[in-house]
Amino acid sequence: VATTIREVARAAQVSVSTVSRAFTTPELVRQDTRRRVIETAERLGYRPNRAARGLITGKTGNIGAIVPDITNPFFPSVLRGVQARARQTDLWVFLADSGEDPHAESRLITEMAKQVDGIVLAASRMSAAQLANATGTTTLVFLNRRVAGSPSVLMDYIGGAKQALDHLVALGHRRCVYLQGPATSWSNRERRRGLRLAARRLGVDLLELGPFAPIFESGVHGADLALAAGVTAIVAYNDLQALGVLTRLADRGVPVPEAMSVIGFDDIPMAAMTTPALTTVALPKEEAGRLAVDVLLGLLDTGDEDGQAELPTHLIVRASTAPVRE
Amino acid sequence: VATTIREVARAAQVSVSTVSRAFTTPELVRQDTRRRVIETAERLGYRPNRAARGLITGKTGNIGAIVPDITNPFFPSVLRGVQARARQTDLWVFLADSGEDPHAESRLITEMAKQVDGIVLAASRMSAAQLANATGTTTLVFLNRRVAGSPSVLMDYIGGAKQALDHLVALGHRRCVYLQGPATSWSNRERRRGLRLAARRLGVDLLELGPFAPIFESGVHGADLALAAGVTAIVAYNDLQALGVLTRLADRGVPVPEAMSVIGFDDIPMAAMTTPALTTVALPKEEAGRLAVDVLLGLLDTGDEDGQAELPTHLIVRASTAPVRE
DNA sequence: ATGAAAGCGCTAACAG
DNA sequence: CTGTTAGCGCTTTCAT
């Protein structure tokens, strides 16, 4: 039913190789021949079969994107970046959701490996051992996780955490709590590290709670804990948690930002839409997705291990933070 | 680098055909031979090359999923359903985001067609002409759009709209506004139709505003319009819009639900997390995604045009609706 | 029950 | 610049 290269060749009065060349290495075909071929192909509705091509070139023209939870608003943004950049290079992206399960994640990689040129692995939750095992099956680019010897796209959480605490200190806060994310999350460890560093430098009391799942409900949970701890500010692992904090605080009649300041990480769309709007460390989500594909492409083309790219982050001050009350 | 069927054949002392059969038609291979083959394959880490297989069987083992905007929380839920069901059948899913652009959507279909067995097209924004053109390139299953002669997974918006208005009327509301979604959206037309039907039957004044994009900002915009129109209740095209309404109303000092009732459609995760929590017509998003894949699979297997499946919807009453004030 | 051989649609030497 | 030929890894007749 689909037009093949042979039919085009016959119709255009050339050999199949010429048709093939007209598409893959046009500079090797005489101008007018090429035009004739392309026109004929167009007319016949010919589209090269990528599977057949891949069989011989060894490249599939596909990449994979694996995320822990597609319903976490952070990841759709990343995926949009991945997908947009892939489309520009005529690459297609296989989507997979590991459901926050490291084991499922590792299985997905193995099974996907055969039909992709590489995989963008977002916020991998795998253990070091699983990681070592997965590396090697196919070209992997990590997003939001640093892995020794593997290319990755990172974000400057140390800087972001510093900005968050500087902001809080400028407002007079001295006692804050950090609501942790998943224990398996590299970003959580990194954000915590940044917070600790800054807290020590600034002489701020930093209490760490958790780990918690990166979801709204954890914030609801954590808010009560923070309240009991008597702090004046809460830094959440991500915006989803922070939103949960906001809701719980409102329910308990604690005015934000008057009685408690709240900061998140991510800057998901909803962060700007709540009342009060959320102060948060904004992350370049789409850009990270695009960059991850670039890194992958670079790796495939030149084989150079570009190592780790780190993207800047910046605090967006909205309405959920204010000077500490006397 | 990857193990091929030939190596397995040699190692297991059989021909390649036997290895092939052991995987695809095990009943044609003697028990012990099969076991030996499978074991050898396992040991060698052999995984059949799907592209090569597809070349000859004509099936790729891939399906496509196209959504208008992956950052709209409705779609990640659908995608999760699609992906989960696909994985159960050892199918892989290509993801594409059309960016709400009908033209891009139609191009994506054509380009994707060659490498998939079928496509789940969520909330297609294409015109009837573009639709007619796209049908036929590959097997298409529509989700949230009725297309004559094409299989689709629909939701009962008529029923949902009825529930919403019944609820409003029970609370004493007589004048409401409907904030429309995109003009190109079938769900918008359908929800509007359901609302009109119910309004007529119940003797409710229904004012229609829009069309608007299915985003938060449209709700902000629409809230002012609704206020000026002097209604007591707002039904938004979707939860994102409804959230915008809530925010704007709060900013303008209009208490919800005391001075205005607000209802959305979708039941995105955020709907339960706002203050007040949003009353909304819940849609079976994941289920729809799974069902779409089932329909697609059925179509591919048996070729039967199952026609249109319609999933039930139900109103979830939360805190954004209340009796109209005297 | 198993093997040999013929391709699926395409690209990549290798000749001219 | 273009054509011929040999496969890529696999499934599927057709024999045996």
Side-chain angles (χ1 to χ4, degrees):
Chain A
V1 60
T3 322
T4 78
I5 200 174
R6 234 176 299 266
E7 310 177 48
V8 177
R10 191 170 329 115
Q13 315 257 46
V14 293
S15 73
V16 293
S17 346
T18 302
V19 177
S20 172
R21 287 190 196 103
F23 281 98
T24 55
T25 46
E27 67 279 10
L28 261 47
V29 178
R30 214 176 54 214
Q31 179 97 95
D32 56 324
T33 315
R34 178 176 60 214
R35 201 166 35 232
R36 182 155 43 96
V37 170
I38 302 290
E39 266 167 21
T40 315
E42 194 87 16
R43 184 162 51 78
L44 267 41
Y46 169 74
R47 321 207 50 126
N49 180 321
R50 306 180 117 231
R53 175 182 291 174
L55 210 48
I56 169 156
T57 61
K59 331 198 93 279
T60 60
N62 303 327
I63 64 173
I66 303 182
V67 300
D69 175 11
I70 196 181
T71 64
N72 175 340
F74 176 81
F75 296 108
S77 293
V78 171
L79 285 175
R80 160 169 281 196
V82 168
Q83 207 261 337
R85 191 69 188 78
R87 232 50 294 290
Q88 286 174 17
T89 327
D90 197 27
L91 233 45
W92 289 94
V93 6
F94 279 120
L95 168 69
D97 182 318
S98 68
E100 297 273 358
D101 174 2
H103 190 256
E105 191 184 323
S106 117
R107 209 174 39 238
L108 282 170
I109 296 175
T110 327
E111 292 174 359
M112 207 184 243
K114 267 306 201 339
Q115 39 201 324
V116 297
D117 298 334
I119 296 178
V120 173
L121 201 51
S124 174
R125 304 275 133 112
M126 293 192 291
S127 68
Q130 291 172 313
L131 230 38
N133 197 31
T135 313
T137 35
T138 185
T139 310
L140 247 40
V141 170
F142 293 88
L143 191 155
N144 245 351
R145 168 136 188 192
R146 172 175 283 130
V147 176
S150 289
S152 47
V153 172
L154 272 18
M155 307 194 194
D156 179 20
Y157 294 131
I158 305 295
K162 179 177 179 306
Q163 293 175 57
L165 276 203
D166 276 344
H167 170 61
L168 252 20
V169 166
L171 295 175
H173 295 271
R174 304 262 119 209
R175 293 182 44 76
C176 343
V177 83
Y178 173 53
L179 258 34
Q180 294 196 70
T184 49
S185 157
W186 176 84
S187 332
N188 176 57
R189 294 193 296 274
E190 202 66 4
R191 291 170 199 186
R192 188 182 58 196
R193 189 161 73 91
L195 256 12
R196 282 180 185 172
L197 244 41
R200 174 136 25 93
R201 212 176 26 76
L202 296 166
V204 165
D205 249 21
L206 180 72
L207 182 63
E208 292 165 11
L209 264 25
F212 299 109
I215 58 176
F216 180 87
E217 287 74 13
S218 306
V220 175
H221 177 182
D224 290 338
L225 266 25
L227 237 27
V231 296
T232 61
I234 302 177
V235 180
Y237 165 69
N238 70 359
D239 287 351
L240 241 26
Q241 279 192 4
L243 260 30
V245 169
L246 252 30
T247 295
R248 182 57 168 186
L249 259 20
D251 287 352
R252 291 195 45 184
V254 178
V256 173
E258 293 77 10
M260 182 73 84
S261 285
V262 179
I263 301 189
F265 272 86
D266 282 0
D267 191 31
I268 60 176
M270 273 311 301
M273 308 178 182
T274 50
T275 313
L278 186 67
T279 295
T280 188
V281 178
L283 270 27
K285 300 169 283 297
E286 285 203 35
E287 189 185 348
R290 283 195 300 270
L291 185 55
V293 175
D294 282 337
V295 170
L296 186 53
L297 253 30
L299 225 60
L300 295 174
D301 273 11
T302 66
D304 53 87
E305 301 275 335
D306 248 324
Q308 344 256 224
E310 192 176 68
L311 262 20
T313 61
H314 66 279
L315 185 74
I316 298 187
V317 176
R318 289 199 270 246
S320 67
T321 44
V324 64
R325 242 198 334 216
E326 306 311 318
Chain B
V1 58
T3 323
T4 78
I5 200 174
R6 234 177 300 267
E7 310 177 48
V8 177
R10 189 167 332 114
Q13 313 259 45
V14 294
S15 72
V16 292
S17 340
T18 301
V19 178
S20 173
R21 287 192 194 100
F23 282 98
T24 56
T25 47
E27 67 278 11
L28 260 48
V29 177
R30 214 175 54 214
Q31 180 97 97
D32 57 323
T33 315
R34 178 174 60 213
R35 201 167 34 234
R36 182 155 42 93
V37 170
I38 302 289
E39 265 167 21
T40 315
E42 193 87 16
R43 184 162 52 76
L44 267 40
Y46 169 74
R47 321 206 50 124
N49 180 322
R50 304 179 118 230
R53 173 182 291 174
L55 211 47
I56 169 154
T57 61
K59 331 197 93 284
T60 61
N62 303 144
I63 64 174
I66 303 183
V67 300
D69 175 11
I70 197 183
T71 63
N72 175 339
F74 176 81
F75 296 108
S77 292
V78 171
L79 284 175
R80 162 170 279 195
V82 168
Q83 207 263 337
R85 191 69 188 80
R87 229 55 291 290
Q88 285 175 17
T89 328
D90 197 26
L91 232 43
W92 289 94
V93 6
F94 279 121
L95 168 69
D97 181 320
S98 67
E100 296 273 357
D101 173 2
H103 191 258
E105 192 183 323
S106 118
R107 207 174 41 236
L108 282 170
I109 296 176
T110 328
E111 292 174 359
M112 207 184 244
K114 267 307 205 334
Q115 40 202 324
V116 297
D117 298 335
I119 297 178
V120 173
L121 200 51
S124 175
R125 306 293 197 218
M126 293 192 292
S127 68
Q130 291 172 313
L131 231 36
N133 196 33
T135 313
T137 35
T138 185
T139 309
L140 246 40
V141 170
F142 292 88
L143 191 155
N144 244 350
R145 169 133 188 194
R146 173 174 283 130
V147 177
S150 289
S152 46
V153 172
L154 272 17
M155 307 192 193
D156 179 21
Y157 293 131
I158 305 294
K162 179 177 180 306
Q163 292 176 58
L165 276 204
D166 276 345
H167 171 61
L168 252 17
V169 166
L171 295 175
H173 295 271
R174 303 263 121 205
R175 294 181 44 75
C176 343
V177 84
Y178 173 53
L179 259 34
Q180 296 196 69
T184 47
S185 157
W186 176 85
S187 332
N188 175 58
R189 294 193 295 273
E190 202 66 3
R191 289 170 200 186
R192 189 182 56 195
R193 188 160 76 90
L195 256 10
R196 283 180 184 173
L197 243 43
R200 174 135 23 96
R201 211 177 28 74
L202 296 166
V204 165
D205 249 21
L206 180 71
L207 181 64
E208 293 166 10
L209 263 26
F212 298 109
I215 58 177
F216 180 86
E217 288 74 12
S218 307
V220 174
H221 176 183
D224 291 338
L225 267 23
L227 236 28
V231 297
T232 62
I234 302 177
V235 180
Y237 165 70
N238 70 358
D239 287 351
L240 241 24
Q241 278 191 5
L243 261 29
V245 169
L246 252 31
T247 296
R248 181 58 168 185
L249 259 22
D251 287 352
R252 290 196 47 182
V254 178
V256 173
E258 293 77 9
M260 182 74 84
S261 284
V262 180
I263 300 188
F265 273 85
D266 283 359
D267 192 32
I268 60 176
M270 273 311 302
M273 307 178 185
T274 51
T275 313
L278 187 68
T279 294
T280 188
V281 178
L283 270 26
K285 299 169 283 296
E286 284 202 36
E287 190 186 347
R290 284 195 301 269
L291 186 55
V293 175
D294 283 337
V295 170
L296 186 53
L297 253 30
L299 224 61
L300 294 174
D301 274 10
T302 67
D304 52 87
E305 302 274 337
D306 248 324
Q308 343 257 222
E310 191 177 68
L311 263 18
T313 60
H314 66 279
L315 185 74
I316 298 185
V317 177
R318 289 200 269 245
S320 66
T321 45
V324 63
R325 241 200 330 217
E326 307 310 319

